[in-house]
Amino acid sequence: MEQKFRILLAKPGLDGHDRGIKVIAAALRDAGFEVIYTGLRQTPEQIVEAAIQEDVDAVGMSILSGAHMTLFPAVMKLLKEKGAEDILLFGGGIISEQDAKKLQEAGCGRIFGPGAPTQTVIEYLKDTLPGRRKRESIL
Amino acid sequence: MSDKFDTKVETKGDSKEIARAFAEAKRKWQEDSENSKLKLNRKFTTVSMEEVNPLYTPEDTGGIEEVGPEYLKKLGFPGQYPYTRGVRPNMYRGRIWTMRQFSGFATPKETNRRYHYLLKAGQTGLSVAFDLPTLMGYDSDSPRSAGEVGVCGVAVDTLKDMEIIFDGIGLEKISTSMTINAPSSILLAMYCVVAEKQGVPLHKLTGTLQNDILKEYIAQKEWIYPPEPSLRLIADIMEFCTNNIPKYNTISISGYHIREAGATAAQELAFTLADGFCYVETGINAGLDVDDFAPRLSFFFNSHLDFFEEIAKYRAARRIWARRMKEKYGAKKELSLLMRFHTQTAGCSLTAKQPENNIIRTAYQALAGVLGGTQSLHTNSMDETLALPSEKAVTIALRTQQIISEETGVVNTIDPLAGSYYVEALTDRLEKQAEDYFDEIDRRGGVLKCIEEGFFQKEIADSAYHYQLEIDKGERIIVGVNGYVHEDEKLEIPILEIDESVARDQIAALNKVKEERDNDKVQRSLGELKKVIKTNDNHIPALLECVRCYATEEEIVNVMKSVFGEYVEPPII
Amino acid sequence: MTVLDRFYKKDRSALSRIISFIENREDGYLELLSRIYNISSNSYKIGITGPPGSGKSTLVDKIAIRYLEKGFSVGIIAVDPTSPFTGGALLGDRIRMQDLASRGEVFIRSMATRGSGGGLSEATREVAIALESYGFDIILIETVGVGQVELDVAGLCDSTVVALVPESGDSVQTLKAGLMEIANIFVVNKADREGSGRLVSELRLMLESRGQKQKEGWILPVIKTEAINGVGIDTLTDKIIDHRKHVENLYTQSGYREKRVKSELITILDRKIRARVLKELLEDNSVDSYVKQIVNGESDPYSITEKLMRKITI
């Protein structure tokens, strides 16, 4: 069976602008991904707990409120604490190039600006995800 | 065949009658226009110095016979039912739209400083933007507020903050628009208590509360409680304002956010008006007379990229509102039939690529708003897809409006696109689409049921996805994004950042208020509030008491949550 | 330390990984299942099924909270459909389970059907085994609810709750074949809506007229709920507990457990053997030549089937 990638999409922070994340959710579904959408106003703790329970390959976060420099690092830190830093964290929203660069340097995946074509996001995930999760022996 | 023939005969037979009615309507319009107290001191000539009439009608192009009885029924004269051509007889010849730029940031102190500056510069109205924690009912020290304090607007936790924001500003002299929805009654109560402390009687207050919770469930998603208790809070506000602050606009029914979430023009029109009718029914069911509160309802629309479709949307909106208010809700006062609206250019149409192009987009959108007869206008700044707008970008946005008003000549004549085959057909089409949606909403059991079922949300999400797919496939070209792309584009726009000290200062100020206030009194007032909201009594008097003793917004919201519960969205993707 | 070692130490991320291992059918998953299979597990499995819009996720959310309050640990499997065209899926049930998701004691896993009909993903049964072995007291399984018959759930669960809403009134007719037979408890959710009383009486009437009011000594209850407001959930949970007692009682009767295990074994064999045989058939490309023969009129599907059946030997 072809490998299925599972993506958790979440909106942390207080803003309710979910147009972008819903468009991405639909586009990823149509590109063959299994998308778990957790809805609005998720705390970093909720997002990381869901990512672990759902054993996803990547977490995508959309932030338009300006709180990205607080929320992305918070999620990264929690993923690390839970030993799940092999889960890719990527995102989008109203995020300046400087901030995006800082986040990427800190270990975050790509940050997509407004109007990024859905195809770009799909290709990025298809390129980045294979072989990314660490392999552990099960038995 | 015979049917067609009969119609023709009938029309012909009516033509004298039509001419008489037309002449009568025109006479009334001229009279109203002349009697209007508002007159702009300006020359109404083209750049070639030719005279321009205030209004053009079928008379100017060959006579009323050509358009038949439909003209008066569908268009009429400005300031006359069904108001398709505008809500006032002289429109911009009487007064230019209000250029109302929405602002507010950081701490109350900084916002107060900015407001003093704006008022000194001649602005007569303020438009307060609150930060997200305030909009969502969290205090600045809540863990949920991390990273958001003072970022998208000013932070307000207690009455103290409101006192600082309006320090030295006489509330009887200014009109204040407050963009607040789920916790609107709390902020309104704070505003009232500031007036009280200034010695300004409530009936002298003017302004607008956005207070449109329905569009929050549908699009913007800044809700706290479930829809039904939220509507009860709104009914309380309508009743309180009708009796105490009669000049205050109680709800600004907003299509803006519905459009931003991805709706089409027809969906924006239909869902916004459906919300409006839902509020009217809420008021009527609360025992108010429609003519007592309807004149205080105003609207807020988006202006998107499709120039003519947007103009037609505003014209259709006025017509539908007037007709339904009169025919369905039995409104008798003219003011109840008038749809007054604010317009904001479409933030979602702006691009992060080649951001300077956004100035041009915004200019066309602003022009559409003006040609559509808006009462006030906000133009977006070119850098809004990148960060909070910088000073320079805000100034260019304002200049855009001033150029339209002063230089383009579009204000010289009222509703200049009337009679255009295209614009009239679009107006009719949008009206029909809206009516079809109203039928569907009724069939599904009304607005609340549609929200609960996720009907609006699904319609909007589908439209948003299809729009994006068109762009992705290159079927729709966005300049600088999927066409006319510059490789190695360098961004040369300065970015405004909010200092982290804002949150620290605000939390320190909140702690100080908590130390200084009488905590027993706070608890008692919150207990009283809880008792009142469990009954059907108006909650505003008890709320005013909580605010007076400096209860925080979150403390009050928590009391309400404990009775009303919290809203959970239906999972619609 | 292997993932299984961590699993036995109650490491949740290990449970997650094991579920993925099973779901992805990775090499060795049958061995893994044989290791964790536990015939005398104390987990109780409750299935929630019903047409779309009947509020299944909200019911699961509320039932789970009741069990948590009683001190039970809860694991949840929520199944959503995979698109047959793109192979992708949108799994949105977690949104409805916000209250739960933030609690530590609960584990929620969303699954896509990945091409298997019947409303449950093919791997759901095995994932349930993982949750049992991990030691959850209660396992709640929410099906797709695409309106089709979802018989799988009954074979898998100890108690099956069928949720309906007043709007699905006319679908009571279409229920007769499937959902009717698998239900142990009927729920009329969103009972504040018009028509809920009518639906309740229609259901009762139908059960009465078809002689299905009781099954194996269990009288099928019809319960009204407003899950979103928490109304009726206590009654529902009590009924589930009653039904559990009833089921446990059945287990003491001779032959009942054997009957369940037999059905389980046959289901597993059916799937695995079919998959295996089809794989063999498809791998040597002989199917294409059979197709050609049929198209050319040289043979027909039945002769070919008969020929192939003879080839299969055990």
Side-chain angles (χ1 to χ4, degrees):
Chain A
M1 185 190 273
E2 193 197 334
Q3 191 182 0
K4 283 267 179 241
F5 289 114
R6 290 164 65 85
I7 315 288
L8 185 90
L9 292 181
K11 254 200 81 55
L14 295 180
D15 82 278
H17 300 107
D18 56 5
R19 174 182 182 162
I21 200 161
K22 285 188 170 178
V23 165
I24 290 297
L28 291 179
R29 171 201 59 198
D30 290 351
F33 290 87
E34 286 182 1
V35 179
I36 295 130
Y37 179 56
T38 57
L40 297 170
R41 304 202 176 85
Q42 299 291 296
T43 62
E45 289 77 11
Q46 287 171 323
I47 291 169
V48 172
E49 184 60 32
I52 287 171
Q53 291 186 7
E54 299 289 357
D55 196 31
V56 293
D57 299 285
V59 174
M61 303 204 299
S62 162
I63 303 173
L64 287 86
S65 70
H68 50 270
M69 293 313 271
T70 308
L71 296 168
F72 274 100
V75 170
M76 268 190 286
K77 185 168 159 254
L78 284 170
L79 282 173
K80 199 168 210 169
E81 278 173 20
K82 305 253 174 175
E85 63 273 24
D86 56 335
I87 296 176
L88 173 72
L89 178 65
F90 70 104
I94 300 191
I95 296 171
S96 71
E97 273 184 39
Q98 291 147 286
D99 285 353
K101 218 173 131 206
K102 273 186 222 161
L103 291 172
Q104 280 160 11
E105 279 164 9
C108 194
R110 280 256 308 260
I111 305 289
F112 297 91
T118 55
Q119 202 51 42
T120 318
V121 181
I122 292 165
E123 276 160 23
Y124 167 69
L125 292 174
K126 284 188 171 164
D127 288 347
T128 316
L129 294 182
R132 187 186 158 93
R133 295 296 305 275
K134 57 180 183 246
R135 302 286 301 185
E136 294 170 283
S137 53
I138 298 282
L139 292 167
Chain B
M1 277 306 273
S2 74
D3 276 0
K4 205 174 171 191
F5 182 71
D6 284 350
T7 323
K8 225 174 183 178
V9 170
E10 218 179 277
T11 315
K12 216 174 183 182
D14 272 349
S15 81
K16 260 197 194 130
E17 188 52 40
I18 295 160
R20 244 201 319 276
F22 184 88
E24 171 56 23
K26 185 178 173 185
R27 192 193 54 71
K28 186 173 179 305
W29 165 71
Q30 273 167 333
E31 210 177 277
D32 290 346
S33 212
E34 275 156 28
N35 291 342
S36 168
K37 274 178 251 158
L38 298 168
K39 285 218 166 53
L40 209 60
N41 186 18
R42 231 196 235 192
K43 263 191 180 172
F44 298 105
T45 56
T46 70
V47 278
S48 317
M49 289 156 288
E50 303 285 349
E51 274 300 321
V52 178
N53 292 341
L55 187 73
Y56 292 84
T57 70
E59 269 188 332
D60 296 286
T61 55
I64 179 68
E65 295 78 18
E66 233 177 56
V67 283
E70 291 294 288
Y71 179 81
L72 284 178
K73 234 203 263 164
K74 288 200 324 204
L75 305 179
F77 283 79
Q80 286 179 24
Y81 188 81
Y83 307 98
T84 313
R85 301 201 63 180
V87 290
R88 296 189 211 296
N90 52 357
M91 288 303 289
Y92 302 135
R93 284 201 172 207
R95 184 171 66 192
I96 294 296
W97 64 91
T98 309
M99 299 178 192
R100 195 194 293 275
Q101 301 291 88
F102 172 61
S103 71
F105 56 95
T107 59
K109 212 176 251 169
E110 280 174 70
T111 300
N112 175 258
R113 213 174 293 141
R114 167 59 65 92
Y115 287 172
H116 274 286
Y117 166 80
L118 289 172
L119 291 171
K120 217 174 253 167
Q123 191 165 312
T124 53
L126 298 173
S127 176
V128 191
F130 296 102
D131 69 358
L132 274 163
T134 307
L135 296 174
M136 291 300 298
Y138 294 108
D139 286 344
S140 299
D141 59 355
S142 160
R144 304 291 317 230
S145 305
E148 322 235 26
V149 176
V151 176
C152 291
V154 59
V156 173
D157 298 315
T158 68
L159 171 64
K160 191 89 209 156
D161 299 317
M162 217 58 159
E163 290 169 6
I164 297 169
I165 291 174
F166 294 103
D167 185 34
I169 299 170
L171 297 192
E172 76 281 17
K173 288 192 212 105
I174 52 148
S175 98
T176 306
S177 162
M178 293 197 281
T179 299
I180 188 87
N181 297 285
S184 56
S185 64
I186 303 173
L187 277 294
L188 174 66
M190 289 183 183
Y191 192 73
C192 290
V193 177
V194 172
E196 208 172 84
K197 292 198 159 186
Q198 287 188 358
V200 177
L202 292 187
H203 69 263
K204 285 198 171 166
L205 295 180
T206 59
T208 304
L209 202 61
Q210 189 165 78
N211 197 26
D212 173 11
I213 197 69
L214 294 174
K215 65 92 171 54
E216 297 295 339
Y217 301 115
I218 295 174
Q220 187 166 243
K221 319 282 172 86
E222 282 153 16
W223 56 66
I224 300 176
Y225 325 111
E228 275 175 37
S230 295
L231 281 181
R232 174 259 170 106
L233 296 178
I234 288 171
D236 285 0
I237 292 171
M238 290 204 278
E239 187 193 52
F240 181 81
C241 289
T242 301
N243 297 328
N244 299 283
I245 331 177
K247 284 190 285 184
Y248 202 76
N249 292 320
T250 50
I251 312 177
S252 168
I253 305 153
S254 309
Y256 183 79
H257 318 84
I258 293 174
R259 193 64 180 280
E260 287 291 297
T264 62
Q267 287 166 345
E268 178 193 358
L269 176 67
F271 300 168
T272 310
L273 284 164
D275 287 351
F277 299 131
C278 183
Y279 292 125
V280 169
E281 286 166 19
T282 302
I284 292 172
N285 293 340
L288 299 169
D289 185 313
V290 66
D291 283 319
D292 281 343
F293 68 87
R296 304 319 311 169
L297 300 177
S298 63
F299 285 80
F300 172 19
F301 287 110
N302 196 295
S303 189
H304 211 286
L305 282 165
D306 198 296
F307 191 69
F308 292 109
E309 194 178 47
E310 293 304 289
I311 295 166
K313 180 184 77 186
Y314 308 121
R315 300 174 85 244
R318 279 192 293 267
R319 188 154 81 200
I320 298 169
W321 182 252
R323 282 184 176 164
R324 285 230 162 185
M325 288 305 284
K326 186 175 172 179
E327 286 162 20
K328 183 162 179 196
Y329 299 107
K332 293 189 181 61
K333 271 194 204 161
E334 181 171 42
L335 281 176
S336 306
L337 311 181
L338 294 188
M339 167 180 277
R340 296 165 301 128
F341 66 95
H342 172 69
T343 303
Q344 180 170 340
T345 57
C348 64
S349 72
L350 305 185
T351 64
K353 294 280 161 63
Q354 303 179 19
E356 293 87 348
N357 296 346
N358 293 331
I359 299 173
I360 293 112
R361 292 190 180 98
T362 299
Y364 290 130
Q365 294 166 0
L367 186 60
V370 170
L371 291 175
T374 192
Q375 275 60 59
S376 64
L377 181 61
H378 169 107
T379 30
N380 288 326
S381 304
M382 63 169 154
D383 52 1
E384 285 183 29
T385 54
L386 304 166
L388 291 168
S390 68
E391 194 79 0
K392 184 175 177 189
V394 171
T395 309
I396 294 173
L398 182 61
R399 294 285 176 265
T400 306
Q401 295 199 38
Q402 289 160 342
I403 290 168
I404 294 172
S405 156
E406 302 286 348
E407 300 182 17
T408 63
V410 296
V411 301
N412 289 341
T413 191
I414 301 160
D415 190 28
L417 291 172
S420 145
Y421 298 125
Y422 182 42
V423 171
E424 294 302 352
L426 274 179
T427 308
D428 291 352
R429 187 204 80 198
L430 282 158
E431 183 179 16
K432 167 85 174 50
Q433 286 175 300
E435 297 284 353
D436 288 348
Y437 264 125
F438 298 154
D439 289 345
E440 168 132 36
I441 293 165
D442 283 346
R443 236 188 350 262
R444 289 170 176 271
V447 169
L448 289 193
K449 187 83 18 114
C450 286
I451 286 172
E452 199 185 307
E453 300 281 313
F455 170 68
F456 301 119
Q457 300 92 311
K458 179 95 182 93
E459 290 283 301
I460 294 169
D462 284 350
S463 300
Y465 187 42
H466 286 128
Y467 183 77
Q468 184 63 40
L469 284 183
E470 280 185 11
I471 295 170
D472 285 357
K473 287 184 196 152
E475 293 167 0
R476 180 179 293 280
I477 295 297
I478 307 290
V479 174
V481 173
N482 62 348
Y484 314 98
V485 179
H486 246 327
E487 295 303 326
D488 308 324
E489 184 196 319
K490 271 270 169 297
L491 208 59
E492 280 162 9
I493 285 194
I495 301 286
L496 179 76
E497 295 207 14
I498 293 284
D499 196 336
E500 282 169 18
S501 69
V502 166
R504 273 202 309 274
D505 293 351
Q506 184 62 20
I507 292 171
L510 172 61
N511 287 335
K512 192 155 168 269
V513 171
K514 281 184 182 167
E515 272 166 32
E516 287 170 357
R517 67 183 188 180
D518 179 342
N519 279 315
D520 289 343
K521 231 172 126 191
V522 171
Q523 288 315 316
R524 271 201 307 279
S525 71
L526 291 173
E528 271 310 303
L529 176 68
K530 187 164 182 167
K531 266 191 226 154
V532 173
I533 55 178
K534 278 183 174 165
T535 69
N536 281 327
D537 295 344
N538 196 314
H539 76 292
I540 309 259
L543 183 58
L544 286 165
E545 204 40 50
C546 299
V547 165
R548 282 187 197 110
C549 40
Y550 297 92
T552 72
E553 188 200 12
E554 188 171 334
E555 287 167 343
I556 296 170
V557 166
N558 284 344
V559 166
M560 297 204 192
K561 276 184 188 169
S562 73
V563 178
F564 297 148
E566 285 183 72
Y567 182 64
V568 181
E569 64 174 334
I572 298 301
I573 303 172
Chain C
M1 197 159 50
T2 66
V3 176
L4 190 57
D5 294 333
R6 288 199 286 123
F7 172 85
Y8 284 132
K9 291 199 167 120
K10 296 248 173 190
D11 176 340
R12 281 176 169 240
S13 69
L15 168 60
S16 286
R17 301 251 59 182
I18 279 190
I19 292 175
S20 301
F21 187 77
I22 296 169
E23 205 186 5
N24 294 335
R25 300 292 192 244
E26 287 182 37
D27 292 341
Y29 86 94
L30 286 177
E31 189 195 337
L32 170 79
L33 283 168
S34 78
R35 288 230 216 147
I36 61 176
Y37 184 83
N38 178 7
I39 185 72
S40 48
S41 122
N42 286 319
S43 303
Y44 194 74
K45 285 174 290 197
I46 303 162
I48 316 283
T49 187
S54 52
K56 294 184 292 293
S57 302
T58 314
L59 279 167
V60 168
D61 185 67
K62 304 291 176 187
I63 295 170
I65 288 174
R66 287 296 185 283
Y67 274 107
L68 291 172
E69 284 165 358
K70 292 176 199 287
F72 293 99
S73 61
V74 178
I76 296 172
I77 304 173
V79 186
D80 272 320
T82 292
S83 156
F85 306 107
T86 66
L90 262 178
L91 314 174
D93 293 322
R94 283 190 93 92
I95 298 183
R96 282 288 199 200
M97 302 177 190
Q98 299 275 336
D99 292 351
L100 271 183
S102 41
R103 290 180 182 236
E105 322 90 301
V106 75
F107 182 94
I108 307 172
R109 183 63 175 241
S110 314
M111 292 181 74
T113 50
R114 296 195 182 173
S116 74
L120 288 181
S121 114
E122 196 186 319
T124 310
R125 178 181 298 274
E126 288 94 351
V127 171
I129 289 169
L131 292 180
E132 283 186 274
S133 170
Y134 188 83
F136 287 105
D137 302 319
I138 300 294
I139 297 169
L140 288 161
I141 299 172
E142 182 198 334
T143 70
V144 169
V146 281
Q148 67 196 48
V149 184
E150 300 190 329
L151 298 165
D152 281 11
V153 72
L156 173 54
C157 295
D158 303 303
S159 296
T160 300
V161 176
V162 171
L164 301 168
V165 276
E167 283 85 343
S168 53
D170 44 303
S171 69
V172 167
Q173 291 306 318
T174 61
L175 283 180
K176 44 192 158 207
L179 290 178
M180 225 51 175
E181 277 73 12
I182 62 168
N184 301 119
I185 295 167
F186 278 106
V187 163
V188 172
N189 194 21
K190 306 188 186 178
D192 51 328
R193 296 196 179 170
E194 213 187 298
S196 68
R198 205 186 58 229
L199 178 59
V200 170
S201 35
E202 269 180 37
L203 275 169
R204 291 210 170 113
L205 197 73
M206 179 168 287
L207 292 170
E208 196 89 44
S209 70
R210 304 171 75 235
Q212 284 177 336
K213 213 175 88 182
Q214 76 163 43
K215 236 180 343 196
E216 294 171 332
W218 169 253
I219 295 170
L220 283 169
V222 181
I223 297 163
K224 280 178 149 191
T225 60
E226 289 166 47
I228 198 101
N229 305 317
V231 176
I233 302 296
D234 283 331
T235 319
L236 173 58
T237 323
D238 288 348
K239 271 294 167 209
I240 296 174
I241 291 167
D242 285 351
H243 186 248
R244 178 176 189 165
K245 281 184 204 136
H246 171 78
V247 170
E248 278 164 357
N249 201 24
L250 286 177
Y251 271 110
T252 62
Q253 296 172 16
S254 77
Y256 188 81
R257 184 180 300 276
E258 287 73 8
K259 199 172 121 197
R260 297 272 307 191
V261 170
K262 187 175 170 190
S263 134
E264 184 184 6
L265 178 62
I266 288 172
T267 309
I268 297 167
L269 285 173
D270 175 62
R271 280 184 175 155
K272 304 299 169 206
I273 292 173
R274 190 168 14 163
R276 173 76 192 279
V277 169
L278 282 172
K279 196 174 158 223
E280 297 272 320
L281 279 177
L282 295 173
E283 250 173 19
D284 67 0
N285 291 327
S286 52
V287 169
D288 292 342
S289 72
Y290 296 135
V291 170
K292 207 177 257 170
Q293 287 172 28
I294 298 168
V295 171
N296 295 340
E298 294 156 19
S299 184
D300 62 273
Y302 301 98
S303 329
I304 289 166
T305 304
E306 204 185 349
K307 194 166 108 195
L308 287 175
M309 293 290 279
R310 259 180 271 139
K311 264 171 71 177
I312 300 168
T313 49
I314 296 178

